[in-house]
């Protein structure tokens, strides 16, 4: 970090006390930007502005559970940066959600969205609501209450939320229904991740997982290799993990392990997606049920973490800081060649150091998981033109976008004398475009 950036970083720490995840996300970007700041000192002031969200909304979400008891949760929407387009980013419903988490996600989203090359700014939101064990009607009442406040802040040209952890098609449906009812507008472009019958896009559910695998496929191709015959670990078993597994299998690799908050499963023959979807999407149950249904030599991992299992490629697709220094050392010891982040910031800074030091190819989430939000932007395009595209065409657009994100990272890393460092490439390329737009728009 340059001295001037260190000054900005100190202000960030002082102004945002008690927000370790946000500090981590800012530090990770700043660590990459020294060569840019030396070339363009005018960007330092822009960075100071970029670290301060344009607007932060925190609100009470009251709702009634199935026993008639009133429950209170906290809702958030951090509208971080709209230099390139309307704020865009998901909503996360998870008990760990707080302002620090939403700000780290919103900050990352600015650069990720910039890398897609599509006209979307950065934002993020969510709630500390825990959907686990809640009935369908409780989920609906919560979503309706959440939207009863949020609707006044969002809009097709203002802020376009989507899903993230704990928010999938069901939740987007309830949120969209309530928005439509309150505003009396069928404003399809106000949310993405909608169902196909009511304004959604083909490939949106698959996009984050598929996109991460496309990104890693580009890295493999650059070395003259492919997924064919590779053993792959995918952490998580939600939306991102599920479709990462599907695409790895389509490209000839074998996903031999995945996980959830209760542990991990090893399935040397390759994770069976029909069974995984039945357990996770239909039953909303734990992975132990996967083992019961699949049988066939499948094991529930008990010692250490999923990352101790020998494999060629690791795709952390669960949550932030899930892959630590010990995990990274285990991956290196077992000869892992590439780590590709399907989740947001899943690798700790210490783990990244270990991986990069050992020459493991590293695809940062900002770039590797940009496929989800990119396909959201494609959904917005279809909504704006009242059109809907085929699965094949949309997947081809996604694949092209991921190749372009990959190439930008590689080329920018080379341009700034960090060949092969895709973290530097992603941070610099994402930053420069937003910074130039902010300079052009004046001090606002
Ligand atoms: N939550 C996803 C992300 O982290 C997608 C956001 C969106 O589609 O707006 O990028």
């Amino acid at each position: 970090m340059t001295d001037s950036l260190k000054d900005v970083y100190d202000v960030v720490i002082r102004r945002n006390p008690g927000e370790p995840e946000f500090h981590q996300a800012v530090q990770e970007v700043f660590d990459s930007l020294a060569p840019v700041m030396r070339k363009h000192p005018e960007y330092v002031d822009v960075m100071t502005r970029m670290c301060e969200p344009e607007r932060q909304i925190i609100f009470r979400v009251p709702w009634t559970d199935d026993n008639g008891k009133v429950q209170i949760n906290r809702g958030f929407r951090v509208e971080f940066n709209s230099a390139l387009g309307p704020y865009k980013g998901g909503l996360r419903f998870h008990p760990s959600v707080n302002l620090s988490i939403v700000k780290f996600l919103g900050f990352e989203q600015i650069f990720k969205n910039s890398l897609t090359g599509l006209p979307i700014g950065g934002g993020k939101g969510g709630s500390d609501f825990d959907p686990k064990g809640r009935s369908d009607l409780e989920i609906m009442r919560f979503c309706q209450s959440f939207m009863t406040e949020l609707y006044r802040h969002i809009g097709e040209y203002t802020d376009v939320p989507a899903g993230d952890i704990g928010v999938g098609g069901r939740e987007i449906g309830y949120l969209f229904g309530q928005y439509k009812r309150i505003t009396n507008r069928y404003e399809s472009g106000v949310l993405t991740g909608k169902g196909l019958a009511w304004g959604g896009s083909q490939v949106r559910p698959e996009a984050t997982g598929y996109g991460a695998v496309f990104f890693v496929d580009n890295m493999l191709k650059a070395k003259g290799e492919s997924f064919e015959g590779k053993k792959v670990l995918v952490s998580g078993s939600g939306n991102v993990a599920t479709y990462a597994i599907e695409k790895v299998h389509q490209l000839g690799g074998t996903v031999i392990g995945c996980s959830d908050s209760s542990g991990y499963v090893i399935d040397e023959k390759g994770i069976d997606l029909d069974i995984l979807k039945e357990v996770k999407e239909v039953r909303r149950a734990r992975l132990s049920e996967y083992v019961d249904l699949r049988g066939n030599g499948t094991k529930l991992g008990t010692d250490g973490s999923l990352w101790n299992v020998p494999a060629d490629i690791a795709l952390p697709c669960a949550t932030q800081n899930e892959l630590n220094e010990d995990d990274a050392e285990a991956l290196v010891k077992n000869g892992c060649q590439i780590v590709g982040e399907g989740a947001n910031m899943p690798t700790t800074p210490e783990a990244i150091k270990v991986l990069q030091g050992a020459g493991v190819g590293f695809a940062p989430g900002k770039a590797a998981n940009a496929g989800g939000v990119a396909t959201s932007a494609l959904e917005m395009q279809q909504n704006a033109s009242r059109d809907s595209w085929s699965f094949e065409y949309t997947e081809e657009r996604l694949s092209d976008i991921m190749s372009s994100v990959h190439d930008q990272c590689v080329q920018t890393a080379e341009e700034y004398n960090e060949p092969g460092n895709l973290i530097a490439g992603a941070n610099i390329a994402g930053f420069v475009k937003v910074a130039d737009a902010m300079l052009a728009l004046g001090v606002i």
Side-chain angles (χ1 to χ4, degrees):
M1 210 185 280
T2 59
D3 286 349
S4 53
L5 274 181
K6 178 84 181 65
D7 292 343
V8 181
Y9 186 66
D10 289 343
V11 174
V12 169
I13 302 281
R14 184 163 46 76
R15 198 173 262 161
N16 305 277
E19 297 182 2
E21 294 84 4
F22 178 49
H23 301 164
Q24 183 184 336
V26 171
Q27 176 159 21
E28 194 244 342
V29 171
F30 279 22
D31 281 344
S32 302
L33 292 185
V36 191
M37 296 300 168
R38 275 194 284 272
K39 235 183 181 171
H40 300 280
E42 71 276 16
Y43 282 153
V44 174
D45 279 352
V46 183
M47 194 72 231
T48 314
R49 254 196 293 159
M50 223 184 265
C51 290
E52 185 64 19
E54 290 176 20
R55 192 174 298 108
Q56 307 183 57
I57 303 147
I58 304 182
F59 50 99
R60 180 171 69 194
V61 189
W63 57 284
T64 316
D65 68 20
D66 285 346
N67 299 319
K69 189 173 176 316
V70 174
Q71 300 277 350
I72 299 296
N73 284 99
R74 185 172 284 182
F76 299 89
R77 186 72 185 167
V78 173
E79 299 180 332
F80 228 117
N81 194 296
S82 61
L84 299 183
Y87 310 106
K88 183 82 197 86
L91 298 171
R92 175 176 292 192
F93 292 169
H94 190 270
S96 65
V97 167
N98 57 34
L99 191 57
S100 174
I101 300 272
V102 178
K103 277 162 73 174
F104 115 64
L105 291 164
F107 188 72
E108 295 244 298
Q109 201 82 42
I110 304 171
F111 307 100
K112 184 197 304 195
N113 294 2
S114 159
L115 280 172
T116 67
L118 298 163
I120 40 179
K124 202 86 185 192
S127 174
D128 57 1
F129 171 69
D130 187 358
K132 244 189 219 142
R134 291 293 175 193
S135 71
D136 212 57
L137 284 177
E138 288 178 318
I139 300 280
M140 184 180 79
R141 287 195 293 273
F142 176 81
C143 289
Q144 289 177 338
S145 180
F146 187 87
M147 185 53 85
T148 301
E149 171 61 34
L150 188 69
Y151 89 94
R152 69 189 83 242
H153 306 290
I154 62 176
E156 182 182 346
Y157 297 103
T158 316
D159 183 356
V160 183
D164 196 83
I165 293 172
V167 179
R170 173 180 60 165
E171 290 74 17
I172 294 293
Y174 295 145
L175 291 163
F176 183 66
Q178 184 73 350
Y179 182 86
K180 185 171 83 63
R181 185 175 191 200
I182 296 176
T183 59
N184 193 30
R185 283 158 66 90
Y186 206 109
E187 191 185 332
S188 302
V190 70
L191 287 170
T192 60
K194 300 181 294 297
L196 283 180
W198 38 281
S201 173
Q202 295 279 4
V203 194
R204 179 62 192 88
E206 295 86 351
T208 312
Y210 277 22
V213 174
F214 286 145
F215 191 97
V216 172
D217 195 39
N218 275 280
M219 292 168 78
L220 287 164
K221 280 190 186 132
K223 302 200 289 179
E225 292 184 40
S226 76
F227 268 100
E228 200 65 51
K230 296 274 189 310
K231 285 189 173 190
V232 183
L233 299 171
V234 175
S235 64
S237 46
N239 169 267
V240 182
T242 300
Y243 292 104
I245 295 171
E246 186 163 282
K247 188 49 77 181
V248 169
H249 287 171
Q250 285 173 9
L251 296 181
T254 306
V255 176
I256 56 165
C258 66
S259 62
D260 69 6
S261 56
S262 71
Y264 65 97
V265 72
I266 306 168
D267 188 345
E268 292 287 346
K269 296 194 185 70
I271 297 287
D272 183 311
L273 261 192
D274 290 338
I275 299 181
L276 187 69
K277 283 185 189 170
E278 165 68 23
V279 172
K280 286 289 159 189
E281 287 173 17
V282 181
R283 301 188 186 187
R284 298 184 190 269
R286 290 179 165 209
L287 269 181
S288 50
E289 289 201 21
Y290 175 90
V291 177
D292 297 342
L293 288 173
R294 173 90 155 134
N296 212 6
T298 318
K299 297 190 294 261
L300 209 55
T302 42
D303 49 334
S305 77
L306 173 71
W307 310 121
N308 290 311
V309 180
D312 305 303
I313 295 170
L315 304 177
C317 295
T319 195
Q320 65 273 358
N321 292 328
E322 54 159 310
L323 196 162
N324 64 26
E325 195 173 2
D326 291 346
D327 298 325
E329 273 160 9
L331 287 170
V332 170
K333 190 176 104 240
N334 289 327
C336 177
Q337 295 167 27
I338 293 180
V339 173
E341 296 188 317
N344 291 310
M345 209 170 76
T347 318
T348 65
E350 299 77 25
I352 293 176
K353 244 185 228 142
V354 171
L355 296 170
Q356 288 192 320
V360 175
F362 186 81
K366 270 185 209 90
N369 75 33
V373 76
T375 308
S376 278
L378 301 182
E379 184 173 330
M380 291 163 72
Q381 276 186 38
Q382 291 167 77
N383 294 152
S385 57
R386 300 187 187 281
D387 196 2
S388 55
W389 307 341
S390 70
F391 190 96
E392 292 68 28
Y393 176 70
T394 316
E395 189 180 15
E396 205 179 296
R397 292 280 311 260
L398 169 63
S399 164
D400 289 348
I401 291 168
M402 295 316 295
S403 298
S404 137
V405 173
H406 170 266
D407 296 351
Q408 276 180 76
C409 294
V410 171
Q411 283 155 17
T412 309
E414 267 164 25
E415 193 184 324
Y416 285 89
N417 269 330
E418 297 266 352
N421 183 349
L422 301 186
I423 302 183
N427 287 336
I428 296 172
F431 168 78
V432 167
K433 193 190 287 171
V434 182
D436 286 344
M438 287 176 73
L439 283 171
L441 298 182
V443 179
I444 51 170

